[in-house]
Each structure stands twice: as structure tokens, then as C-alpha cells.
Amino acid sequence: MTKPLKALLSAVAICVLVCQAATGASGESARVSIDSTRPGPTLNRNVFGQFAEHLGRGVYEGIWVGPESPIPNTRGIRNDVVAALKAIKVPNVRWPGGCFADEYHWRNGIGPRDRRPPTLNPNWGGVIEPNTFGSHEFLDFVQQIGADAYLSVNVGSGTTAEAADWLEYLTTPQPTALARERAANGHPEPYPVAMLGIGNEAWGCGGSMTPDTYVDHLKVYARYARNYNPKQPMQRIAVGPDSADTSYTKAVMAAWKNKTWAWDIEGISLHYYTVGKGWPPVFKATGFGEDEYATLLEHTRRMEDLLRTHVAVMDEYDPQKKIALIVDEWGAWLAPTPGSPQGFLEQQNSQRDALIAALNINMFARQAERVRGANIAQMVNVLQAMIFTDKEKMVLTPTYHVFRLYVPFHDATLLPANVSAGEYVHGGVRLPRVDAIAARDAAGKTWLALTHLDPEHPVSITVDIAGAKFTRARGETLRAPRIDSVNTFDSPKAVSPQPVSARAAGGKLSLELAPASVTVVALE
Ligand code: AHR
């Protein structure tokens, strides 16, 4: 080959590579194949759970404004927040913490509100905890939004007797002294408690316990913190791993495998946050560039390996997958909003966070046999929130919109979805350009969720389904002018889902995905 010809051919080869990367992996290579002949596991609706800790303005102002407030409320709980949460069909809410749970004494939060003792919240800004939002208010709140209660009991600084009494107080239908006290406080009927966390981060803020020490506590709490409400089974969830550390996973699962008749659990928890690098979190919530965007998405994707690692350990002890893995703290933890109170964990929420949410949900879906619950941190005004409030004002975040788009996936049957769309490459980061899950809902409709990572170029995707016919796709897409676009009180709809539709030709559907977008469509 002559030198000029060689140069020309390599220029063409380089152009093919670069141009394809630049225009998005269009054409043949960008493809999603769904197999509806091989239905997989159910995506448990509890994967869309929320977390509400007594932290900053998460509970006070975010949920609770009090019955005397001019902000429209029902028994002290703000109506706008309830309506917004009902629309995303929140399956369960974890409360009262977090680290707060291991310093919470439930008796401070019952009885006439004006006589409840003010206490301290040393974990989160050292502020006064008024205890006006206690057990009855929480259970009223979850009933108003149609969710289950997920309580965390105090193992770190509480006692087994205190936890046992709390459960009896809430759940017994029998006329015990504690049930009579509950009735005197306004609720004769027992409450349903669907999930019970036995401690929180016992390896850290929950007592810095070795795995063996925690297991000793777990056995006692799992025995005595009983559910007495026959109308509602209760899952007990042990503290599990901190990120990649498998020591708690192994210790708890080994103990469970050798358990006696006297105690049991139904799940263990995993906590993992998207931080970017190091501690404390320094990545900005707005005003960031593509470097930070790509790094945070890569950090998010590490969840996939973590899940695989812990699922593999659990499989050794529990091949029948009786014990669920509940990722009851996840989400982006960024640098706090400048000027916000110390310890309130306030951060803006951008289109990038919407992608972080969708990627996490997709990863949970890929491990759906084991991951049967998850709780994003946190619901209102804290960390990767669904909702921000400022006195009477409320705004929905891009993350909220992802939770709304994914409602059809609650309890849906997952279908294998094979994506071949090349990579999104930036600096040293290489990630699959498109991430997708597919599922069939109870009415038989097939849904496809697509997350497109490339922030610069659209991508054209061809969708085919084995074993089913469809002629069109209809749904919504969440796209934004910039990766750091946010919703504000003044501009609440800057990032909001837009309708999207496409017609199929020859059994194949072509769909264009906007840069850095989340799209959910029904295939009809
Ligand atoms: O979500 C904020 C805190 O993060 C929780 O209180 C704690 O469990 C975790 O470390």
C-alpha cells in the first residue's frame, strides 16, 4: 500500500470512530432487544421507598407544619407534600433515621404535643428536637400518602425493653396497658408496621460495633421487638454492609444460617452513597462541568459491583434467597448549598441527579431477586430529595420526576433487555452509553426505561421485542437544557417530563434519546 493511501485509510478509520462517538452510536449499533418470552423476577415496589429522618428541614417544615399553620395541612401534615408523594405511589417510608434513630426515644414523641420534652439532635446541627412529630404523626402521615411504615429502632443508645414496648404500643390489638395508652392518645386501633430496621449503621454512628457485637444485639432485638398486629406481617431488617465491606454481610448471614427458633430476620440493609471522591462530599450540586458529571455517574455505577458482591455472599448462606437485600440509604451526597445551616445536608437537585436515580433503580432491577427494597436519601429538603419546600412554597425536583416516570415498574415483571449502544467516554471514564430495563405490568403492557448518559449528542435507538408485537411507543422523557439544570421556586418546571412517541415499522421502533435524558415508554 502506498503511503498516501495508507494515510487516507487511517484518516477514514479515525473519522469512523470519532464521528460515530460524536454523533452518538447511531444506526445498527444502538439497539435494545427485549425478550418477552423469558419473564424474570418481579421488581418489588418497595425498591421505590423513601427515607425521612429528623434532619434539617426534612420532617419539620418538609412534612410537619402543625395544625395551626397557615400552610394548608391535614392534622399538621402539609397537603401539598402529601399530594405530590401520592402521585409517585411511595410504597414505604423509613423513619426516624438514620443516625437519629439510635438516639431516638419514642416516649418523648407521644402524648399531648405541648407537653412533649424538647431534646437534642446532636447528629444534625445540634438543634433542638421538639418531638412534636412522633409515632402517631408519622403513622398518620404514611396513611395519608398510602405508604407502609418502616421504623428503625434504637439499638445504639436504647434498650431492648424500650424497643419491645414501642412495638407493643403500636401494634397490639389486645387491651394491654400500652394499648390503652395508645387509645388514650387517640388511636384505639393497632397500627400496621410493615418493616422494622434493627439499628442503623451499627458499624458507624449506630454504635461502632464489631460485626459480632452487633449480631449479639440483633438476636435479642429480633426476638423481643415483636409485631402483634395479625393484619400486617412485618419484615425485620438487620444492619448490613457499609459500601463494599462484607464483614457485616458475612457475620449477619452466618448468624442467620445458624439461627435457633427464638429469632429470625427477613432482610439486611446496604448503605451506599454517590459521593464522587473522598469525604466530606465536595462535588457541587450546580455549576459543575462534564468532568464532575462523568465522575459522579461512574461512582454511581459502582453500585452494580457492590450489589453483585453482597448478593454473592448472601447466596453462599441463603441460596434460596429468603433474606432480602434492602438498600435503605442511597443517592447523591454533594457539597451543601452555600449558606445553608451546618448539618442540614441541603443540596440542589439537577438533571444529573435524575440520571443518578434512574441508573440506581436499573441496577436494583437487575438484582431484583435479592434486592427487594431500597430507600433514597432523603424524601424532602435533605440530600437527593424529591421535594423542596420553603414555607408555603413547594417544588418538585428532577429526581421526583424519575420516580413518577417509573411508577409503571412497581411490582412489574422484569423482561430481559439487552442494550448495545456503545460507550460514553469522557476523560478516563468509560460507561455504557445507554442503560435500560424493561418490564410487563399487571395489565400486560410492556414498559421500557432508557437512561442516556452522553450529555452532548442525541442517540437513535432501535427497539425490538422477541415474542410480542407492537406498533408504537408512547411515554415521557426527562431532558434538560444543561446537565446542571434545576427546578427552583421561581422556575418550577425548568426540568419536567415531556411527551414522547414513536411509530414502529417492520416490528422495529426507532426512538431518539436526547442528551443526558431519562425516557420511559409503553410499547403498544
Ligand atoms: O442520610 C444521612 C445519614 O447518612 C444517615 O443518618 C446515616 O445513616 C448515614 O450515614
Side-chain angles (χ1 to χ4, degrees):
M1 203 184 301
T2 61
K3 262 194 183 163
L5 185 60
K6 222 173 169 181
L8 180 69
L9 285 179
S10 45
V12 169
I14 289 166
C15 180
V16 166
L17 287 174
V18 174
C19 299
Q20 215 180 29
T23 54
S26 53
E28 264 71 346
S29 60
R31 181 173 163 170
V32 179
S33 301
I34 302 168
D35 190 350
S36 76
T37 65
R38 290 193 300 123
T42 299
L43 179 55
N44 195 309
R45 59 198 278 275
N46 278 330
V47 157
F48 299 90
Q50 298 285 334
F51 175 29
E53 179 165 13
H54 286 236
L55 193 176
R57 298 183 304 117
V59 168
Y60 298 108
E61 186 185 319
I63 300 172
W64 178 258
V65 288
E68 315 304 331
S69 171
I71 298 170
N73 69 84
T74 302
R75 295 181 293 279
I77 294 162
R78 51 191 302 165
N79 294 344
D80 53 357
V81 168
V82 167
L85 294 172
K86 277 169 92 169
I88 57 171
K89 298 193 189 305
V90 175
N92 71 79
V93 182
R94 180 172 180 252
W95 176 85
C99 299
F100 180 82
D102 280 299
E103 296 195 73
Y104 183 61
H105 300 285
W106 67 274
R107 278 203 160 277
N108 293 335
I110 59 166
R113 280 191 285 273
D114 57 358
R115 279 190 248 146
R116 295 188 194 169
T119 53
L120 283 173
N121 189 340
N123 282 294
W124 306 119
V127 297
I128 298 270
E129 164 58 51
N131 283 300
T132 39
F133 190 85
S135 302
H136 290 262
E137 290 78 14
F138 171 68
L139 285 145
D140 186 10
F141 165 66
V142 288
Q143 282 172 4
Q144 286 191 34
I145 66 168
D148 285 338
Y150 176 0
L151 294 185
S152 292
V153 293
N154 180 345
V155 173
S157 70
T159 64
T160 325
E162 187 185 6
D165 283 355
W166 194 16
L167 268 288
E168 184 189 322
Y169 175 87
L170 293 175
T171 67
T172 184
Q174 304 206 61
T176 66
L178 283 165
R180 283 200 221 117
E181 194 179 354
R182 182 188 70 225
N185 286 329
H187 208 273
E189 285 298 306
Y191 284 111
V193 176
M195 299 165 86
L196 186 78
I198 301 180
N200 170 73
E201 298 193 353
W203 32 261
C205 68
S208 300
M209 299 177 203
T210 63
D212 289 345
T213 304
Y214 172 69
V215 163
D216 288 343
H217 283 81
L218 171 67
K219 290 175 182 171
V220 183
Y221 275 77
R223 168 90 182 129
Y224 298 113
R226 291 186 171 105
N227 167 42
Y228 294 98
N229 188 342
K231 291 195 194 138
Q232 167 82 73
M234 183 181 81
Q235 286 185 64
R236 289 153 293 185
I237 295 142
V239 172
D242 170 18
S243 306
D245 184 345
T246 54
S247 58
Y248 262 67
T249 324
K250 286 179 182 157
V252 172
M253 292 306 294
W256 174 80
K257 193 176 174 194
N258 297 312
K259 75 183 163 59
T260 65
W261 59 270
W263 71 280
D264 206 349
I265 53 169
E266 287 74 28
I268 69 170
S269 77
L270 162 67
H271 288 184
Y272 174 69
Y273 284 94
T274 295
V275 178
K277 56 176 168 237
W279 198 261
V282 292
F283 276 57
K284 291 194 292 260
T286 55
F288 52 83
E290 193 172 347
D291 287 354
E292 292 190 30
Y293 169 82
T295 307
L296 273 195
L297 293 189
E298 184 185 49
H299 204 239
T300 301
R301 287 297 309 244
R302 288 189 201 164
M303 178 72 89
E304 194 114 55
D305 282 342
L306 290 184
L307 295 178
R308 279 198 208 108
T309 302
H310 295 295
V311 165
V313 173
M314 293 175 78
D315 284 349
E316 278 173 39
Y317 299 93
D318 172 28
Q320 293 175 301
K321 298 192 190 289
K322 289 184 179 162
I323 302 292
L325 183 59
I326 310 285
V327 190
D328 56 16
E329 287 189 30
W330 66 271
W333 191 326
L334 308 170
T337 303
S340 59
Q342 193 268 326
F344 276 30
L345 309 190
E346 294 190 2
Q347 63 190 44
Q348 247 301 355
N349 192 296
S350 69
Q351 176 70 3
R352 176 196 56 197
D353 300 312
L355 269 75
I356 288 174
L359 290 175
N360 272 296
I361 295 167
N362 294 355
M363 291 185 280
F364 302 150
R366 286 193 277 277
Q367 294 290 345
E369 284 189 317
R370 186 66 88 172
V371 178
R372 302 198 286 266
N375 300 75
I376 186 168
Q378 298 193 7
M379 193 168 65
V380 190
N381 291 333
V382 176
L383 296 177
Q384 191 175 346
M386 308 298 110
I387 295 172
F388 295 140
T389 62
D390 181 14
K391 302 187 187 69
E392 77 291 351
K393 290 184 272 188
M394 181 190 84
V395 67
L396 307 175
T397 67
T399 299
Y400 172 93
H401 292 302
V402 170
F403 274 72
R404 222 256 298 129
L405 291 179
Y406 271 77
V407 164
F409 285 87
H410 291 209
D411 283 339
T413 303
L414 290 159
L415 302 172
N418 199 309
V419 184
S420 140
E423 287 183 319
Y424 160 55
V425 181
H426 179 79
V429 172
R430 303 184 84 91
L431 296 169
R433 184 190 308 272
V434 175
D435 193 60
I437 60 166
R440 191 185 296 133
D441 68 15
K445 198 180 258 191
T446 300
W447 292 87
L448 176 61
L450 297 150
T451 303
H452 176 215
L453 276 55
D454 189 324
E456 291 292 333
H457 312 101
V459 63
S460 181
I461 291 272
T462 307
V463 182
D464 60 82
I465 309 189
K469 285 204 166 62
F470 61 93
T471 55
R472 65 176 175 182
R474 276 194 300 183
E476 290 174 274
T477 188
L478 189 68
R479 54 194 292 181
R482 299 187 318 273
I483 45 181
D484 69 341
S485 294
V486 299
N487 290 334
T488 62
F489 297 110
D490 294 333
S491 183
K493 299 214 163 125
V495 186
S496 49
Q498 308 298 320
V500 63
S501 65
R503 291 217 156 263
K508 287 197 177 164
L509 185 95
S510 290
L511 208 56
E512 173 143 311
L513 305 178
S517 60
V518 179
T519 304
V520 174
V521 289
L523 303 173
E524 299 167 344

